[in-house]
Amino acid sequence: MSPVREGLRAYRLISAMWIRSLMAYRVSFAMTALGNFAVTAFDFVAILLMFSQVDRLGGYSLAEIAFLYGASCTAFGLADLALGSMDRLGRRVRDGTLDTLLVRPAPVLAQVAADRFGLHRIGRLAQGTLVLTYALVVLDIDWTPPKVLMVPLMLLCGAGIFAAVFVGGAAFQFVAQDAAEVQNAFTYGGTTLLQYPPTVFAKDLVRGVTFVLPLAFVNWLPALYVLGRPYPLDLPSWVAFTPPLVAAALLALAGVVWRAGLRSYRSTGS
Amino acid sequence: MLVRAGRFRLYAAVTEGSFRRYATYRMATAAGVFTNTVFGLILAYTYLALWDERPGLGGYDQSQALTYVWLGQALLTVMALMGGGFEGELIERIRTGDIAVDLYRPADLQLWWLAADVGRAAFQLLGRGIVPMVFGALVFDLTLPPDVLGWLAFLVAAVLGVLVSFAIRFLVALSAFWLMDGAGVTQVAMLAGTFFSGMLLPLNVFPGALGEFARALPWSALLQMPADVFLGERSGTALLRTYAFQLGWAAALLTVGRLLQAVATRRVVVQGG
């Protein structure tokens, strides 16, 4: 079996086990999923409160920002559902329980990713999808085949980009065991940034999330194509179609970084 | 009198121990400072866009609004707005029954945890508050208190805020005596804490009745009020009214905590630990 198929199989088995264990307490599951929904919903409530005072933010209407928000939140929700447990890696390195995963006959990445698989994270995904649906209903868009295609493409590639950030962040924890919060800055911080239009932010910050950590490809560039809005930094129009390439390159890079991190791992020993 | 001095020394030692305990995690603190700075930066630009559109919104000018953002990041962990204080530990002790051991100690449960929480808050203010604030002041034009008195006034408001924050979280933790599982209550408290403290948006930007309602709740004592004192929005009698509001909520919630503690500890005896 190829390592990828083996990994997916292990991931499926472990996550299925955690789902079964979650479903043993259905009320508790429903409550945590609802809580997860509510926590993220407050971010959108804050935007609604802002729009109770203004008609536009950074030149964008509420419906347009809802589109950016929904796309970012849904893409992030997908990655979070699949890999949200990765930030527990630092703890496993510290207390030595990572060793248990090393001796099992399954890829470590799949085991770490599926560890304590939290189906309740579906709450965040549901919230993002809801806002995205609202935006698609309210927005007045001249739909063309490429624009229609761009919506699912954007969500999938965005999830891929965030997945790479999750894996890269976890690899960093092999080195800095106590720094799970740094990962939060890029994951939660990243999705918060993308909820607002690029016109809100300083040029250098936009440059950073376009060329250094290419989060702009999650939703800004494809979404602005759908909305028919100018891109930031006067980028050419074809960049809206590059998210698949960016996601693939980032995932490959994250794989390399992960392997390097794993190789540098020294057990606590005791 | 001697007993009293001894007691004071005990709680002072608990505070110091708690301070040191948090100071041990240097890497985690550095990581937290980094995250607070990143979020501060993102929020600052969204506030800039908002105040560009509506100058003077909520009675703040642009510089005050930006200062509010960085104060929020500086006070986020100090006030434990998203949780992360002592309450998780206390809930765990109640759940496992270890609380019985605590009740045998010659120390008061509420004062003991208050002392520990004050140590935690003091460390978070120094460890996670200053660096993001300095970064914010270097990148943006912030409004700082004009003199030492202004800083002192803010410090008093912040200490009172910590007191209210502790009182709320003590109640959250005590609920575990009845529910055995604190997850649900902790989550609701976290939601209320972020929303009604003004962490997402200053409470004076909330429209109409919602704003008035939010400003009357105890959570406004955690961020909105210390921030307003810092920004020089409350001086003279308004400052005294602010302190009175904070003290009032602290006294009320701490008293309820005392009463609940008495009822709860009787339950422990009934259950046999």
Side-chain angles (χ1 to χ4, degrees):
Chain A
M1 225 178 347
S2 81
V4 174
R5 278 189 55 196
E6 201 185 332
L8 286 175
R9 193 180 117 82
Y11 182 86
R12 209 176 53 235
L13 289 173
I14 300 170
S15 52
M17 180 193 80
W18 282 108
I19 291 173
R20 268 202 306 282
S21 110
L22 269 178
M23 286 309 158
Y25 302 96
R26 276 168 204 274
V27 177
S28 174
F29 165 76
M31 272 177 62
T32 44
L34 199 70
N36 202 268
F37 179 92
V39 171
T40 40
F42 269 136
D43 285 337
F44 193 66
V45 172
I47 292 177
L48 288 176
L49 284 176
M50 287 182 182
F51 273 90
S52 75
Q53 308 282 3
V54 298
D55 296 326
R56 282 179 176 261
L57 201 62
Y60 282 65
S61 69
L62 175 60
E64 288 173 306
I65 288 182
F67 186 57
L68 290 172
Y69 178 99
S72 162
C73 224
T74 307
F76 181 75
L78 284 169
D80 182 49
L81 182 64
L83 297 168
S85 299
M86 295 295 288
D87 62 354
R88 293 174 52 84
L89 183 82
R91 195 181 313 171
R92 280 194 171 271
V93 171
R94 262 177 288 149
D95 64 18
T97 51
L98 187 66
D99 293 7
T100 334
L101 307 188
L102 293 177
V103 296
R104 283 192 200 141
V108 181
L109 180 60
Q111 293 185 62
V112 175
D115 182 34
R116 292 185 168 272
F117 181 84
L119 192 61
H120 63 271
R121 297 202 193 97
I122 210 150
R124 177 184 291 276
L125 186 59
Q127 197 262 340
T129 323
L130 206 67
V131 176
L132 184 62
T133 313
Y134 159 77
L136 288 173
V137 171
V138 183
L139 277 171
D140 188 20
I141 296 172
D142 248 341
W143 289 106
T144 60
K147 281 189 180 179
V148 173
L149 204 67
M150 191 62 95
V151 176
L153 185 80
M154 161 173 78
L155 299 180
L156 279 179
C157 298
I161 292 170
F162 273 126
V165 176
F166 269 109
V167 173
F172 174 66
Q173 289 185 52
F174 279 115
V175 190
Q177 310 164 7
D178 222 3
E181 277 213 63
V182 170
Q183 191 169 352
N184 292 348
F186 293 107
T187 50
Y188 293 101
T191 178
T192 307
L193 176 94
L194 297 176
Q195 289 164 8
Y196 295 91
T199 46
V200 162
F201 300 101
K203 273 255 164 57
D204 283 329
L205 191 57
V206 176
R207 262 186 216 113
V209 294
T210 306
F211 300 117
V212 183
L213 184 68
L215 292 174
F217 294 82
V218 169
N219 69 339
W220 277 353
L221 300 171
L224 296 185
Y225 170 80
V226 175
L227 293 173
R229 286 283 200 150
Y231 304 159
L233 314 172
D234 299 321
L235 290 165
S237 58
W238 51 265
V239 291
F241 295 90
T242 53
L245 295 175
V246 174
L250 266 187
L251 281 168
L253 185 68
V256 171
V257 172
W258 170 262
R259 233 164 282 156
L262 191 58
R263 227 176 299 130
S264 77
Y265 172 67
R266 297 275 174 277
S267 173
T268 51
S270 57
Chain B
M1 204 56 207
L2 257 177
V3 177
R4 230 174 223 200
R7 277 284 155 83
F8 179 77
R9 258 208 304 271
L10 168 71
Y11 294 122
V14 172
T15 301
E16 198 198 326
S18 175
F19 183 96
R20 278 168 196 268
R21 179 179 156 198
Y22 279 88
T24 320
Y25 301 105
R26 281 197 212 134
M27 188 61 113
T29 304
V33 164
F34 178 76
T35 308
N36 287 141
T37 310
V38 169
F39 270 94
L41 206 57
I42 295 169
L43 277 178
Y45 284 113
T46 63
Y47 278 36
L48 266 178
L50 188 60
W51 262 265
D52 255 348
E53 200 71 32
R54 277 283 304 275
L57 180 62
Y60 290 162
D61 62 28
Q62 206 163 58
S63 161
Q64 284 177 310
L66 288 171
T67 312
Y68 186 92
V69 169
W70 293 99
L71 275 170
Q73 292 302 316
L75 294 179
L76 176 66
T77 49
V78 177
M79 302 296 171
L81 293 178
M82 300 176 83
F86 70 95
E87 59 277 18
E89 210 179 328
L90 180 51
I91 287 171
E92 194 57 21
R93 291 189 76 79
I94 293 171
R95 209 178 55 76
T96 57
D98 287 343
I99 191 76
V101 182
D102 301 348
L103 293 173
Y104 267 115
R105 291 206 187 105
D108 178 74
L109 192 70
Q110 194 183 34
L111 275 176
W112 174 282
W113 287 102
L114 174 60
D117 204 48
V118 167
R120 179 199 62 78
F123 173 74
Q124 302 288 30
L125 184 64
L126 296 175
R128 286 186 64 163
I130 292 174
V131 176
M133 199 73 203
V134 170
F135 178 87
L138 289 176
V139 178
F140 302 97
D141 170 34
L142 300 190
T143 304
L144 303 177
D147 49 27
V148 183
L149 271 179
W151 284 98
L152 273 178
F154 163 71
L155 215 58
V156 173
V159 170
L160 291 175
V162 169
L163 214 55
V164 176
S165 163
F166 166 80
I168 295 172
R169 286 174 294 123
F170 190 67
L171 289 177
V172 167
L174 285 189
S175 75
F177 272 111
W178 288 269
L179 301 173
M180 283 303 141
D181 171 51
V185 183
T186 310
Q187 189 156 43
V188 172
M190 191 193 103
L191 282 174
T194 41
F195 190 70
F196 289 117
S197 65
M199 188 64 213
L200 290 173
L201 207 60
L203 298 180
N204 45 15
V205 174
F206 281 30
L210 178 64
E212 272 165 48
F213 177 64
R215 286 189 290 273
L217 294 176
W219 288 282
S220 69
L222 309 190
L223 175 58
Q224 184 66 53
M225 294 197 162
D228 274 340
V229 172
F230 188 94
L231 296 171
E233 288 287 296
R234 284 154 196 255
S235 51
T237 51
L239 182 64
L240 291 180
R241 270 206 306 279
T242 304
Y243 289 162
F245 178 91
Q246 291 182 301
L247 263 176
W249 269 120
L253 294 170
L254 286 171
T255 311
V256 175
R258 289 244 104 197
L259 295 174
L260 270 185
Q261 175 186 331
V263 178
T265 49
R266 239 176 290 140
R267 267 176 71 90
V268 171
V269 178
V270 172
Q271 287 188 343

